[in-house]
Amino acid sequence: MVIKLNGVTSVGNGGDGIRIEGDVELEGNNIHTANNGGQGINIIKHAGLMKQFGLPTDTDPKELAELLIAVRNAPNEEKQKVIENNSLWGKFSVGALNSTTLISNLINIASNPQTMQVVASLLK
């Protein structure tokens, strides 16, 4: 889907100037963002997928793909350590899920035979 913006000003808010969640393309003219608390324009691809996984929507898809591959390749007794030692862990543990549920979800996702399809989509 293509989102077209023309003549948009976003100045001085506490977050991103313009935040769009979804697998979209942006066409823009005459856009002005300044002094915002986040990025000027932030397109969060795979937001729906992240929500399905119970992860923050701003999770970096490539970092998640790398984590899932590492968890998938780790011996069963090491999977939890792989997650907890990953740079994303601090971001994940701040979310609404408790850490036990989150670790279990990530291990289940990584163990699922369809994971490589998910990983491939995250790496795009």
Side-chain angles (χ1 to χ4, degrees):
M1 171 182 7
V2 177
I3 294 178
K4 297 179 180 184
L5 298 176
N6 187 24
V8 176
T9 299
S10 178
V11 177
N13 66 50
D16 296 323
I18 299 169
R19 181 182 180 125
I20 302 168
E21 293 185 7
D23 295 326
V24 301
E25 293 182 31
L26 178 66
E27 291 181 11
N29 293 307
N30 195 22
I31 297 174
H32 175 70
T33 65
N35 301 319
N36 295 303
Q39 297 181 22
I41 299 174
N42 189 3
I43 299 175
I44 303 174
K45 295 186 179 251
H46 307 293
L49 183 61
M50 298 306 165
K51 286 180 185 175
Q52 287 178 338
F53 289 165
L55 302 173
T57 57
D58 62 348
T59 301
D60 182 288
K62 289 184 173 120
E63 286 183 85
L64 177 60
E66 292 169 3
L67 173 60
L68 293 174
I69 291 169
V71 171
R72 183 177 193 177
N73 293 334
N76 286 339
E77 63 275 3
E78 297 293 319
K79 291 183 186 299
Q80 181 172 340
K81 287 182 186 176
V82 168
I83 294 168
E84 291 173 343
N85 291 330
N86 187 278
S87 62
L88 289 175
W89 178 245
K91 296 176 190 175
F92 291 163
S93 62
V94 174
L97 293 176
N98 69 43
S99 60
T100 303
T101 302
L102 181 55
I103 289 170
S104 177
N105 286 351
L106 289 170
I107 291 171
N108 288 334
I109 292 165
S111 301
N112 187 308
Q114 296 173 335
T115 296
M116 292 317 291
Q117 292 174 345
V118 172
V119 168
S121 76
L122 295 173
L123 292 172
K124 290 182 181 177

